[in-house]
mmCIF file with all atom_site columns, all heavy atoms in Angstrom:
data_model
loop_
_atom_site.group_PDB
_atom_site.id
_atom_site.type_symbol
_atom_site.label_atom_id
_atom_site.label_alt_id
_atom_site.label_comp_id
_atom_site.label_asym_id
_atom_site.label_entity_id
_atom_site.label_seq_id
_atom_site.pdbx_PDB_ins_code
_atom_site.Cartn_x
_atom_site.Cartn_y
_atom_site.Cartn_z
_atom_site.occupancy
_atom_site.B_iso_or_equiv
_atom_site.pdbx_formal_charge
_atom_site.auth_seq_id
_atom_site.auth_comp_id
_atom_site.auth_asym_id
_atom_site.auth_atom_id
_atom_site.pdbx_PDB_model_num
ATOM   1   N N   . SER A 1 19  ? 11.039  14.778 -24.865 1.00 98.00 ? 80  SER A N   1
ATOM   2   C CA  . SER A 1 19  ? 9.715   14.561 -24.270 1.00 98.00 ? 80  SER A CA  1
ATOM   3   C C   . SER A 1 19  ? 9.921   13.948 -22.922 1.00 98.00 ? 80  SER A C   1
ATOM   4   O O   . SER A 1 19  ? 10.778  13.028 -22.768 1.00 98.00 ? 80  SER A O   1
ATOM   5   C CB  . SER A 1 19  ? 8.967   13.533 -25.194 1.00 98.00 ? 80  SER A CB  1
ATOM   6   O OG  . SER A 1 19  ? 8.132   12.671 -24.406 1.00 98.00 ? 80  SER A OG  1
ATOM   7   N N   . THR A 1 20  ? 9.195   14.455 -21.935 1.00 98.00 ? 81  THR A N   1
ATOM   8   C CA  . THR A 1 20  ? 9.403   13.932 -20.570 1.00 98.00 ? 81  THR A CA  1
ATOM   9   C C   . THR A 1 20  ? 8.924   12.431 -20.509 1.00 98.00 ? 81  THR A C   1
ATOM   10  O O   . THR A 1 20  ? 9.457   11.652 -19.772 1.00 98.00 ? 81  THR A O   1
ATOM   11  C CB  . THR A 1 20  ? 8.634   14.742 -19.532 1.00 98.00 ? 81  THR A CB  1
ATOM   12  O OG1 . THR A 1 20  ? 7.231   14.793 -19.895 1.00 98.00 ? 81  THR A OG1 1
ATOM   13  C CG2 . THR A 1 20  ? 9.150   16.159 -19.369 1.00 98.00 ? 81  THR A CG2 1
ATOM   14  N N   . ASN A 1 21  ? 7.918   12.070 -21.399 1.00 98.00 ? 82  ASN A N   1
ATOM   15  C CA  . ASN A 1 21  ? 7.521   10.675 -21.425 1.00 98.00 ? 82  ASN A CA  1
ATOM   16  C C   . ASN A 1 21  ? 8.677   9.824  -21.964 1.00 98.00 ? 82  ASN A C   1
ATOM   17  O O   . ASN A 1 21  ? 8.945   8.724  -21.435 1.00 98.00 ? 82  ASN A O   1
ATOM   18  C CB  . ASN A 1 21  ? 6.250   10.528 -22.259 1.00 98.00 ? 82  ASN A CB  1
ATOM   19  C CG  . ASN A 1 21  ? 5.004   10.566 -21.442 1.00 98.00 ? 82  ASN A CG  1
ATOM   20  O OD1 . ASN A 1 21  ? 4.875   11.368 -20.543 1.00 98.00 ? 82  ASN A OD1 1
ATOM   21  N ND2 . ASN A 1 21  ? 4.010   9.752  -21.751 1.00 98.00 ? 82  ASN A ND2 1
ATOM   22  N N   . GLN A 1 44  ? 9.855   21.189 -24.173 1.00 98.00 ? 105 GLN A N   1
ATOM   23  C CA  . GLN A 1 44  ? 10.001  19.890 -24.822 1.00 98.00 ? 105 GLN A CA  1
ATOM   24  C C   . GLN A 1 44  ? 10.210  20.206 -26.353 1.00 98.00 ? 105 GLN A C   1
ATOM   25  O O   . GLN A 1 44  ? 9.470   21.004 -26.897 1.00 98.00 ? 105 GLN A O   1
ATOM   26  C CB  . GLN A 1 44  ? 8.764   19.033 -24.713 1.00 98.00 ? 105 GLN A CB  1
ATOM   27  C CG  . GLN A 1 44  ? 8.514   18.518 -23.342 1.00 98.00 ? 105 GLN A CG  1
ATOM   28  C CD  . GLN A 1 44  ? 7.319   17.581 -23.242 1.00 98.00 ? 105 GLN A CD  1
ATOM   29  O OE1 . GLN A 1 44  ? 7.362   16.528 -22.642 1.00 98.00 ? 105 GLN A OE1 1
ATOM   30  N NE2 . GLN A 1 44  ? 6.180   17.999 -23.822 1.00 98.00 ? 105 GLN A NE2 1
ATOM   31  N N   . GLY A 1 47  ? 7.450   17.068 -27.876 1.00 97.00 ? 108 GLY A N   1
ATOM   32  C CA  . GLY A 1 47  ? 6.394   16.596 -26.989 1.00 97.00 ? 108 GLY A CA  1
ATOM   33  C C   . GLY A 1 47  ? 5.402   15.715 -27.737 1.00 97.00 ? 108 GLY A C   1
ATOM   34  O O   . GLY A 1 47  ? 5.053   15.984 -28.855 1.00 97.00 ? 108 GLY A O   1
ATOM   35  N N   . ARG A 1 48  ? 5.000   14.671 -27.048 1.00 97.00 ? 109 ARG A N   1
ATOM   36  C CA  . ARG A 1 48  ? 4.071   13.672 -27.667 1.00 97.00 ? 109 ARG A CA  1
ATOM   37  C C   . ARG A 1 48  ? 2.691   13.873 -27.184 1.00 97.00 ? 109 ARG A C   1
ATOM   38  O O   . ARG A 1 48  ? 2.419   14.110 -26.017 1.00 97.00 ? 109 ARG A O   1
ATOM   39  C CB  . ARG A 1 48  ? 4.442   12.264 -27.224 1.00 97.00 ? 109 ARG A CB  1
ATOM   40  C CG  . ARG A 1 48  ? 5.689   11.768 -27.831 1.00 97.00 ? 109 ARG A CG  1
ATOM   41  C CD  . ARG A 1 48  ? 5.910   10.350 -27.241 1.00 97.00 ? 109 ARG A CD  1
ATOM   42  N NE  . ARG A 1 48  ? 7.188   9.875  -27.706 1.00 97.00 ? 109 ARG A NE  1
ATOM   43  C CZ  . ARG A 1 48  ? 7.375   9.354  -28.902 1.00 97.00 ? 109 ARG A CZ  1
ATOM   44  N NH1 . ARG A 1 48  ? 6.425   9.242  -29.754 1.00 97.00 ? 109 ARG A NH1 1
ATOM   45  N NH2 . ARG A 1 48  ? 8.584   8.928  -29.227 1.00 97.00 ? 109 ARG A NH2 1
ATOM   46  N N   . GLY A 1 49  ? 1.701   13.682 -28.120 1.00 95.00 ? 110 GLY A N   1
ATOM   47  C CA  . GLY A 1 49  ? 0.297   13.703 -27.770 1.00 95.00 ? 110 GLY A CA  1
ATOM   48  C C   . GLY A 1 49  ? -0.312  12.340 -28.051 1.00 95.00 ? 110 GLY A C   1
ATOM   49  O O   . GLY A 1 49  ? 0.380   11.406 -28.423 1.00 95.00 ? 110 GLY A O   1
ATOM   50  N N   . GLN A 1 50  ? -1.579  12.260 -27.864 1.00 90.00 ? 111 GLN A N   1
ATOM   51  C CA  . GLN A 1 50  ? -2.347  10.992 -28.142 1.00 90.00 ? 111 GLN A CA  1
ATOM   52  C C   . GLN A 1 50  ? -2.261  10.590 -29.594 1.00 90.00 ? 111 GLN A C   1
ATOM   53  O O   . GLN A 1 50  ? -2.199  11.429 -30.491 1.00 90.00 ? 111 GLN A O   1
ATOM   54  C CB  . GLN A 1 50  ? -3.826  11.214 -27.843 1.00 90.00 ? 111 GLN A CB  1
ATOM   55  C CG  . GLN A 1 50  ? -4.171  11.573 -26.420 1.00 90.00 ? 111 GLN A CG  1
ATOM   56  C CD  . GLN A 1 50  ? -4.221  10.427 -25.519 1.00 90.00 ? 111 GLN A CD  1
ATOM   57  O OE1 . GLN A 1 50  ? -4.088  9.275  -25.927 1.00 90.00 ? 111 GLN A OE1 1
ATOM   58  N NE2 . GLN A 1 50  ? -4.484  10.676 -24.250 1.00 90.00 ? 111 GLN A NE2 1
ATOM   59  N N   . TRP A 1 55  ? 2.657   17.464 -29.068 1.00 94.00 ? 116 TRP A N   1
ATOM   60  C CA  . TRP A 1 55  ? 2.156   18.354 -28.014 1.00 94.00 ? 116 TRP A CA  1
ATOM   61  C C   . TRP A 1 55  ? 3.044   19.578 -28.002 1.00 94.00 ? 116 TRP A C   1
ATOM   62  O O   . TRP A 1 55  ? 4.207   19.498 -27.773 1.00 94.00 ? 116 TRP A O   1
ATOM   63  C CB  . TRP A 1 55  ? 2.257   17.644 -26.638 1.00 94.00 ? 116 TRP A CB  1
ATOM   64  C CG  . TRP A 1 55  ? 1.645   18.508 -25.562 1.00 94.00 ? 116 TRP A CG  1
ATOM   65  C CD1 . TRP A 1 55  ? 2.315   19.204 -24.590 1.00 94.00 ? 116 TRP A CD1 1
ATOM   66  C CD2 . TRP A 1 55  ? 0.223   18.712 -25.272 1.00 94.00 ? 116 TRP A CD2 1
ATOM   67  N NE1 . TRP A 1 55  ? 1.414   19.852 -23.786 1.00 94.00 ? 116 TRP A NE1 1
ATOM   68  C CE2 . TRP A 1 55  ? 0.145   19.573 -24.198 1.00 94.00 ? 116 TRP A CE2 1
ATOM   69  C CE3 . TRP A 1 55  ? -0.956  18.286 -25.888 1.00 94.00 ? 116 TRP A CE3 1
ATOM   70  C CZ2 . TRP A 1 55  ? -1.091  19.983 -23.659 1.00 94.00 ? 116 TRP A CZ2 1
ATOM   71  C CZ3 . TRP A 1 55  ? -2.169  18.704 -25.405 1.00 94.00 ? 116 TRP A CZ3 1
ATOM   72  C CH2 . TRP A 1 55  ? -2.225  19.547 -24.275 1.00 94.00 ? 116 TRP A CH2 1
ATOM   73  N N   . MET A 1 65  ? 5.143   17.381 -17.419 1.00 98.00 ? 126 MET A N   1
ATOM   74  C CA  . MET A 1 65  ? 5.716   16.444 -16.488 1.00 98.00 ? 126 MET A CA  1
ATOM   75  C C   . MET A 1 65  ? 5.254   15.029 -16.763 1.00 98.00 ? 126 MET A C   1
ATOM   76  O O   . MET A 1 65  ? 4.242   14.771 -17.401 1.00 98.00 ? 126 MET A O   1
ATOM   77  C CB  . MET A 1 65  ? 5.377   16.831 -15.035 1.00 98.00 ? 126 MET A CB  1
ATOM   78  C CG  . MET A 1 65  ? 3.939   16.737 -14.708 1.00 98.00 ? 126 MET A CG  1
ATOM   79  S SD  . MET A 1 65  ? 3.622   17.334 -13.022 1.00 98.00 ? 126 MET A SD  1
ATOM   80  C CE  . MET A 1 65  ? 3.648   15.748 -12.110 1.00 98.00 ? 126 MET A CE  1
ATOM   81  N N   . ASP A 1 108 ? -8.789  14.007 -21.459 1.00 96.00 ? 169 ASP A N   1
ATOM   82  C CA  . ASP A 1 108 ? -8.486  15.418 -21.632 1.00 96.00 ? 169 ASP A CA  1
ATOM   83  C C   . ASP A 1 108 ? -9.257  16.185 -20.587 1.00 96.00 ? 169 ASP A C   1
ATOM   84  O O   . ASP A 1 108 ? -10.320 15.817 -20.169 1.00 96.00 ? 169 ASP A O   1
ATOM   85  C CB  . ASP A 1 108 ? -8.990  15.926 -23.015 1.00 96.00 ? 169 ASP A CB  1
ATOM   86  C CG  . ASP A 1 108 ? -8.187  15.380 -24.189 1.00 96.00 ? 169 ASP A CG  1
ATOM   87  O OD1 . ASP A 1 108 ? -7.099  14.903 -23.921 1.00 96.00 ? 169 ASP A OD1 1
ATOM   88  O OD2 . ASP A 1 108 ? -8.711  15.493 -25.304 1.00 96.00 ? 169 ASP A OD2 1
ATOM   89  N N   . LYS A 1 115 ? -9.747  22.898 -24.440 1.00 97.00 ? 176 LYS A N   1
ATOM   90  C CA  . LYS A 1 115 ? -8.812  21.944 -23.766 1.00 97.00 ? 176 LYS A CA  1
ATOM   91  C C   . LYS A 1 115 ? -7.779  22.718 -22.976 1.00 97.00 ? 176 LYS A C   1
ATOM   92  O O   . LYS A 1 115 ? -7.092  23.599 -23.510 1.00 97.00 ? 176 LYS A O   1
ATOM   93  C CB  . LYS A 1 115 ? -8.183  21.056 -24.817 1.00 97.00 ? 176 LYS A CB  1
ATOM   94  C CG  . LYS A 1 115 ? -7.210  20.036 -24.299 1.00 97.00 ? 176 LYS A CG  1
ATOM   95  C CD  . LYS A 1 115 ? -6.977  18.952 -25.336 1.00 97.00 ? 176 LYS A CD  1
ATOM   96  C CE  . LYS A 1 115 ? -5.802  18.068 -25.010 1.00 97.00 ? 176 LYS A CE  1
ATOM   97  N NZ  . LYS A 1 115 ? -5.740  16.908 -25.894 1.00 97.00 ? 176 LYS A NZ  1
ATOM   98  N N   . GLY A 1 118 ? -3.787  17.876 -21.488 1.00 97.00 ? 179 GLY A N   1
ATOM   99  C CA  . GLY A 1 118 ? -3.765  16.554 -22.166 1.00 97.00 ? 179 GLY A CA  1
ATOM   100 C C   . GLY A 1 118 ? -2.905  15.594 -21.338 1.00 97.00 ? 179 GLY A C   1
ATOM   101 O O   . GLY A 1 118 ? -1.969  16.036 -20.699 1.00 97.00 ? 179 GLY A O   1
ATOM   102 N N   . ILE A 1 119 ? -3.319  14.364 -21.396 1.00 98.00 ? 180 ILE A N   1
ATOM   103 C CA  . ILE A 1 119 ? -2.619  13.323 -20.597 1.00 98.00 ? 180 ILE A CA  1
ATOM   104 C C   . ILE A 1 119 ? -2.258  12.170 -21.509 1.00 98.00 ? 180 ILE A C   1
ATOM   105 O O   . ILE A 1 119 ? -3.104  11.711 -22.295 1.00 98.00 ? 180 ILE A O   1
ATOM   106 C CB  . ILE A 1 119 ? -3.551  12.838 -19.419 1.00 98.00 ? 180 ILE A CB  1
ATOM   107 C CG1 . ILE A 1 119 ? -3.886  14.033 -18.453 1.00 98.00 ? 180 ILE A CG1 1
ATOM   108 C CG2 . ILE A 1 119 ? -2.934  11.703 -18.673 1.00 98.00 ? 180 ILE A CG2 1
ATOM   109 C CD1 . ILE A 1 119 ? -5.017  13.735 -17.490 1.00 98.00 ? 180 ILE A CD1 1
ATOM   110 N N   . ILE A 1 137 ? 1.734   14.506 -18.341 1.00 98.00 ? 198 ILE A N   1
ATOM   111 C CA  . ILE A 1 137 ? 0.729   15.598 -18.160 1.00 98.00 ? 198 ILE A CA  1
ATOM   112 C C   . ILE A 1 137 ? 1.236   16.865 -18.812 1.00 98.00 ? 198 ILE A C   1
ATOM   113 O O   . ILE A 1 137 ? 2.316   17.336 -18.535 1.00 98.00 ? 198 ILE A O   1
ATOM   114 C CB  . ILE A 1 137 ? 0.445   15.873 -16.652 1.00 98.00 ? 198 ILE A CB  1
ATOM   115 C CG1 . ILE A 1 137 ? -0.167  14.591 -16.021 1.00 98.00 ? 198 ILE A CG1 1
ATOM   116 C CG2 . ILE A 1 137 ? -0.450  17.039 -16.462 1.00 98.00 ? 198 ILE A CG2 1
ATOM   117 C CD1 . ILE A 1 137 ? -0.209  14.590 -14.542 1.00 98.00 ? 198 ILE A CD1 1
ATOM   118 N N   . GLY A 1 138 ? 0.419   17.414 -19.697 1.00 98.00 ? 199 GLY A N   1
ATOM   119 C CA  . GLY A 1 138 ? 0.689   18.772 -20.258 1.00 98.00 ? 199 GLY A CA  1
ATOM   120 C C   . GLY A 1 138 ? -0.429  19.644 -19.881 1.00 98.00 ? 199 GLY A C   1
ATOM   121 O O   . GLY A 1 138 ? -1.546  19.564 -20.419 1.00 98.00 ? 199 GLY A O   1
HETATM 122 C C1  . LIG B 2 .   ? -2.833  14.730 -25.692 1.00 97.81 ? 158 LIG B C1  1
HETATM 123 O O1  . LIG B 2 .   ? -2.651  14.501 -26.893 1.00 97.81 ? 158 LIG B O1  1
HETATM 124 O O2  . LIG B 2 .   ? -3.791  15.341 -25.298 1.00 97.81 ? 158 LIG B O2  1
HETATM 125 C C2  . LIG B 2 .   ? -1.804  14.219 -24.691 1.00 97.81 ? 158 LIG B C2  1
HETATM 126 C C3  . LIG B 2 .   ? -0.729  15.275 -24.450 1.00 97.81 ? 158 LIG B C3  1
HETATM 127 C C4  . LIG B 2 .   ? 0.257   14.884 -23.397 1.00 97.81 ? 158 LIG B C4  1
HETATM 128 C C5  . LIG B 2 .   ? 1.363   15.918 -23.290 1.00 97.81 ? 158 LIG B C5  1
HETATM 129 C C6  . LIG B 2 .   ? 2.311   15.650 -22.139 1.00 97.81 ? 158 LIG B C6  1
HETATM 130 S S1  . LIG B 2 .   ? 3.462   17.021 -21.895 1.00 97.81 ? 158 LIG B S1  1
HETATM 131 C C7  . LIG B 2 .   ? 4.397   16.021 -20.827 1.00 97.81 ? 158 LIG B C7  1
HETATM 132 C C8  . LIG B 2 .   ? 4.411   14.611 -21.352 1.00 97.81 ? 158 LIG B C8  1
HETATM 133 N N1  . LIG B 2 .   ? 5.490   14.461 -22.269 1.00 97.81 ? 158 LIG B N1  1
HETATM 134 C C9  . LIG B 2 .   ? 5.079   14.227 -23.576 1.00 97.81 ? 158 LIG B C9  1
HETATM 135 O O3  . LIG B 2 .   ? 5.834   14.122 -24.513 1.00 97.81 ? 158 LIG B O3  1
HETATM 136 N N2  . LIG B 2 .   ? 3.769   14.229 -23.589 1.00 97.81 ? 158 LIG B N2  1
HETATM 137 C C10 . LIG B 2 .   ? 3.184   14.416 -22.247 1.00 97.81 ? 158 LIG B C10 1
#
Side-chain angles (χ1 to χ4, degrees):
S80 147
T81 56
N82 267 39
Q105 290 183 134
R109 288 179 186 281
Q111 300 277 359
W116 185 256
M126 65 183 266
D169 289 344
K176 181 161 167 171
I180 298 167
I198 295 168

